[in-house]
Amino acid sequence: MAVVGGEAVEEDVAVAAMVVAALLSKSMPLLEQAVLDLCCTTLPESVAIADLGWNDFNAVFKSLPTFHEKMKEENGEEFGPCHVAAVPGSFYHKLFPSRRLHFVHSSCSLHWLSQVPPELLNKQITNKGKIYLSKTSSPALIDAYASQFQRDFSLFLKLRSEETVPGGRMVLSLMARRTPDPVSDESCLLWDLLAQALQGLVSEGLIAEEKLDSYNAPYYQPYTEDLETGIENDGSFSINGLEIMVLPWDSASGGQNYDRPTTAQKIAKSMKAVQEPMLASHFGAEIMDPLFKRLMEIIAADTREVEHVSVLVSMTRKA
Amino acid sequence: MAVVGGEAVEEDVAVAAMVVAALLSKSMPLLEQAVLDLCCTTLPESVAIADLGWNDFNAVFKSLPTFHEKMKEENGEEFGPCHVAAVPGSFYHKLFPSRRLHFVHSSCSLHWLSQVPPELLNKQITNKGKIYLSKTSSPALIDAYASQFQRDFSLFLKLRSEETVPGGRMVLSLMARRTPDPVSDESCLLWDLLAQALQGLVSEGLIAEEKLDSYNAPYYQPYTEDLETGIENDGSFSINGLEIMVLPWDSASGGQNYDRPTTAQKIAKSMKAVQEPMLASHFGAEIMDPLFKRLMEIIAADTREVEHVSVLVSMTRKA
């Protein structure tokens, strides 16, 4: 998903990028091991690599000349060639011809669902004043979210298993939780605070109550063990390694010792960078600034802290 | 190349798109024949098609859901799959792995050179007050442009011959001329009128004279017979057919009987859509509106008319 805009937006993106970069650097050892394993076992004449996620294609394309220069510097003039292409579409659809890919990578994306659970869309169940799971969620709501993730994740595995050659590798990272409890603070607190900010704009009359009640995040933070079960049930991939990556509460501030208000500001900026396109299309672009200002105040006034938990799983396509 | 902007820009693009659509519709029979020939002779399990040109990737990507729907409607649910990817880079570089493509198409793009002729860039020769070839061009300038095109076109053929499978097809269309004379009105008049508009802004003090003198279009409209010679000299492709396509002077107005001022407006809009990004990066975005307003006035006040000439050539990669 492309994020465009002026300097303010760029700063939000920079803060969010810092968090992603911290996660990527943690995931490097497992990622490098997967690449090495692939090269040592089944190195084909040409290697097809897919990186699946939310990308600003224009930014990726602009970065390519520098990338190719660096490749030449590090590997010599004769190295390559390396061909790059952008594939539009959702990773919940088939993206590549069958048995085409040797390596699949997806970073920080698979916690996004293909859609809001249908039970919420058709109003069979409601989620009044909230936008994701919370402490007060009904069992039906919890089930609806868990089932949607299960369907999406098994569809993702099925599609990728078709596209990947036997012996091919796949490394996925996504937001996750270390507890079976689907409404623990670890996975729900920030969504709850964002819902509070939206409720504030409702009471100010800036947002209609029905507008908030009809918005739910197409998001799910799964329990790491459920993820393993999903991969085992699919049966096409064997797990080589699974790692839980934990970033501290104030990781958006780049690991420096900031105070609560500054950390609140960084977290709000980071959330804005990721969520603004979705929220703006539902609530209107004009309320984004007041919304995230209020979110920042709410986080600053709160005392709770949660760690940001991701899971990294490395697997091999079975023969 | 992406064209972005507000409603005014969109209208310019719409006018230019009308001209391209008229050309494409004229080229359809030869294009369809080439596809049929490919399918009847060497239909492989999967067909790789490349469309090379200046594309706004975002616009192409947005049009894909409708495209896939139409494919299903016309061919049934079971048809496909059809995978689409965008490849960044210039077609004067290698874009695909060797022997990968079965069909190559390029529409309205190959008259753009990889660069302004080096003799102009290093000021070995000058082109005072002009931006392309004109009636007053020196033989050295004419040679410089012709040589740059020859180098670029043979590089293009060499690269595509590497990327295309034996028996693969290639259909190219580009602006061309029906006369060996490289400074005929057919290929130079509109550039000359644009240069006049720029000269007008120089005399008004809106553009520095040196700025105009240092701008030259990376463009060449080749003689159709020279194109055939180029393909024969390369030796990798055999020509199946060559067609000269002529659009009337007022084709930008959609074939309706407009008067001279209206036609002038349409032609200026169409030229703006294509040339604005290049001109704006050299002369500054702020002079684009006065420039094309003046161009429109110059065209309206002139009495000359030229037909817009393109060539379409269909060929097969030799075994």
Side-chain angles (χ1 to χ4, degrees):
Chain A
M1 176 175 291
V3 181
V4 291
E7 277 174 36
V9 173
E10 274 166 29
E11 199 199 330
D12 302 343
V13 173
V15 173
M18 209 186 286
V19 179
V20 174
L23 273 176
L24 262 179
S25 106
K26 273 185 189 282
S27 65
M28 264 307 161
L30 206 63
L31 199 52
E32 283 175 358
Q33 189 57 51
V35 173
L36 269 177
D37 287 349
L38 177 75
C39 295
C40 292
T41 52
T42 54
L43 188 64
E45 202 187 329
S46 75
V47 179
I49 303 168
D51 185 48
L52 309 174
W54 287 20
N55 283 315
D56 178 341
F57 286 128
N58 291 334
V60 171
F61 287 177
K62 273 184 200 153
S63 74
L64 284 178
T66 315
F67 168 75
H68 285 299
E69 273 307 307
K70 210 179 147 209
M71 289 273 281
K72 270 191 195 162
E73 260 172 45
E74 288 178 0
N75 305 293
E77 287 285 331
E78 295 305 306
F79 185 82
C82 174
H83 299 285
V84 178
V87 176
S90 156
F91 49 52
Y92 295 124
H93 288 116
K94 193 128 189 276
L95 292 170
F96 303 94
S98 294
R99 297 182 169 226
R100 180 60 59 93
L101 303 177
H102 300 91
F103 200 99
V104 176
H105 179 237
S106 174
S107 171
C108 282
S109 300
L110 268 166
H111 41 252
W112 293 106
L113 302 170
S114 67
Q115 60 161 71
V116 172
E119 298 87 343
L120 279 163
L121 291 176
N122 66 22
K123 298 188 178 155
Q124 202 180 311
I125 53 177
T126 56
N127 194 19
K128 208 166 167 42
K130 305 286 183 182
I131 59 173
Y132 180 57
L133 299 181
S134 71
K135 298 274 182 232
T136 59
S137 289
S138 68
L141 184 73
I142 294 171
D143 269 2
Y145 264 104
S147 303
Q148 184 64 45
F149 179 81
Q150 215 166 44
R151 281 193 299 275
D152 282 340
F153 188 60
S154 54
L155 177 61
F156 179 90
L157 291 173
K158 185 179 164 289
L159 294 166
R160 300 298 88 76
S161 75
E162 288 169 18
E163 294 163 355
T164 310
V165 298
R169 306 278 159 153
M170 180 152 79
V171 177
L172 310 175
S173 80
L174 62 153
M175 300 299 284
R177 57 190 147 86
R178 294 164 288 188
T179 159
D181 178 10
V183 297
S184 67
D185 273 351
E186 188 163 294
S187 55
C188 297
L189 178 66
L190 287 171
W191 291 98
D192 226 41
L193 300 178
L194 182 56
Q196 273 182 44
L198 286 162
Q199 287 162 21
L201 299 197
V202 168
S203 55
E204 274 184 40
L206 288 174
I207 293 177
E209 197 170 359
E210 311 83 68
K211 205 81 187 158
L212 170 54
D213 292 344
S214 63
Y215 185 80
N216 289 287
Y219 177 92
Y220 188 73
Q221 213 161 324
Y223 180 35
T224 53
E225 289 189 15
D226 291 343
L227 219 56
E228 285 180 84
T229 311
I231 295 165
E232 279 156 19
N233 287 347
D234 170 76
S236 317
F237 294 92
S238 56
I239 297 177
N240 307 318
L242 183 145
E243 220 167 85
I244 292 170
M245 301 184 295
V246 180
L247 291 180
W249 165 246
D250 58 355
S251 57
S253 56
Q256 293 171 57
N257 278 329
Y258 278 120
D259 52 11
R260 182 90 193 184
T262 315
T263 299
Q265 196 186 34
K266 297 283 183 184
I267 291 176
K269 272 182 193 296
S270 165
M271 289 175 73
K272 189 171 183 221
V274 175
Q275 304 222 25
E276 189 166 19
M278 275 173 286
L279 290 166
S281 85
H282 184 87
F283 293 106
E286 67 286 358
I287 69 125
M288 291 300 106
D289 283 341
L291 175 64
F292 284 96
K293 184 167 175 288
R294 189 175 268 262
L295 175 65
M296 186 193 69
E297 291 161 0
I298 289 170
I299 299 174
D302 206 298
T303 56
R304 286 171 290 179
E305 292 192 359
V306 287
E307 291 177 313
H308 310 283
V309 182
S310 291
V311 65
L312 182 75
V313 53
S314 172
M315 47 193 128
T316 302
R317 174 75 172 93
K318 292 180 189 167
Chain B
M1 176 172 291
V3 181
V4 291
E7 278 175 34
V9 173
E10 274 167 29
E11 199 200 329
D12 301 343
V13 173
V15 174
M18 209 186 288
V19 179
V20 173
L23 273 176
L24 262 179
S25 106
K26 272 185 191 282
S27 66
M28 264 307 159
L30 207 62
L31 198 53
E32 282 176 358
Q33 189 57 51
V35 174
L36 269 177
D37 287 350
L38 177 75
C39 295
C40 293
T41 52
T42 53
L43 188 64
E45 203 186 328
S46 74
V47 180
I49 303 168
D51 185 48
L52 309 174
W54 285 22
N55 283 314
D56 177 341
F57 286 128
N58 290 334
V60 171
F61 288 177
K62 272 184 201 153
S63 74
L64 284 179
T66 314
F67 168 75
H68 286 298
E69 274 306 307
K70 210 179 147 210
M71 290 273 282
K72 270 190 195 163
E73 259 171 44
E74 289 177 359
N75 304 293
E77 286 287 331
E78 294 306 305
F79 185 81
C82 174
H83 299 285
V84 179
V87 176
S90 156
F91 51 52
Y92 295 123
H93 288 116
K94 192 126 190 278
L95 292 171
F96 303 94
S98 295
R99 295 182 172 229
R100 180 59 60 92
L101 303 177
H102 300 91
F103 201 99
V104 176
H105 179 238
S106 174
S107 171
C108 281
S109 301
L110 268 166
H111 41 253
W112 294 107
L113 302 171
S114 68
Q115 60 161 71
V116 173
E119 298 87 342
L120 279 163
L121 290 176
N122 66 22
K123 297 186 179 157
Q124 201 180 312
I125 51 178
T126 55
N127 194 18
K128 210 168 164 41
K130 305 286 183 182
I131 59 172
Y132 180 57
L133 298 180
S134 71
K135 298 275 183 232
T136 58
S137 289
S138 68
L141 184 73
I142 293 172
D143 270 1
Y145 264 104
S147 303
Q148 183 63 45
F149 178 80
Q150 215 166 42
R151 281 194 299 276
D152 281 340
F153 189 59
S154 54
L155 177 61
F156 178 89
L157 291 173
K158 185 178 164 290
L159 293 166
R160 298 300 89 74
S161 75
E162 288 169 18
E163 295 164 353
T164 310
V165 298
R169 307 279 158 152
M170 180 154 78
V171 176
L172 310 174
S173 80
L174 62 154
M175 300 298 286
R177 57 190 148 86
R178 293 164 290 189
T179 158
D181 177 9
V183 296
S184 66
D185 274 351
E186 187 163 294
S187 56
C188 297
L189 178 66
L190 286 172
W191 291 99
D192 225 42
L193 300 179
L194 182 57
Q196 274 183 42
L198 286 161
Q199 286 162 22
L201 298 198
V202 168
S203 55
E204 275 184 39
L206 287 174
I207 292 177
E209 197 169 359
E210 311 82 69
K211 206 80 188 157
L212 170 54
D213 292 343
S214 63
Y215 185 81
N216 290 287
Y219 178 92
Y220 189 73
Q221 212 162 324
Y223 180 36
T224 53
E225 289 189 15
D226 291 343
L227 218 56
E228 285 181 85
T229 311
I231 295 165
E232 280 156 18
N233 287 347
D234 170 76
S236 316
F237 293 92
S238 56
I239 298 177
N240 307 319
L242 183 146
E243 220 167 85
I244 292 169
M245 301 184 296
V246 181
L247 290 181
W249 165 246
D250 58 355
S251 57
S253 55
Q256 293 171 57
N257 278 328
Y258 277 120
D259 52 11
R260 183 90 192 183
T262 314
T263 299
Q265 195 185 35
K266 296 283 183 185
I267 291 175
K269 271 180 192 299
S270 165
M271 289 175 73
K272 189 172 183 221
V274 175
Q275 303 222 25
E276 188 166 20
M278 275 173 286
L279 290 165
S281 85
H282 184 87
F283 294 105
E286 67 286 359
I287 69 126
M288 291 300 107
D289 284 341
L291 174 64
F292 285 96
K293 185 168 175 287
R294 189 174 270 262
L295 175 66
M296 184 194 70
E297 290 161 0
I298 289 170
I299 298 175
D302 206 298
T303 56
R304 286 170 291 179
E305 293 191 359
V306 287
E307 290 176 315
H308 310 283
V309 182
S310 292
V311 66
L312 181 75
V313 53
S314 171
M315 48 194 126
T316 301
R317 174 76 172 93
K318 292 180 188 168

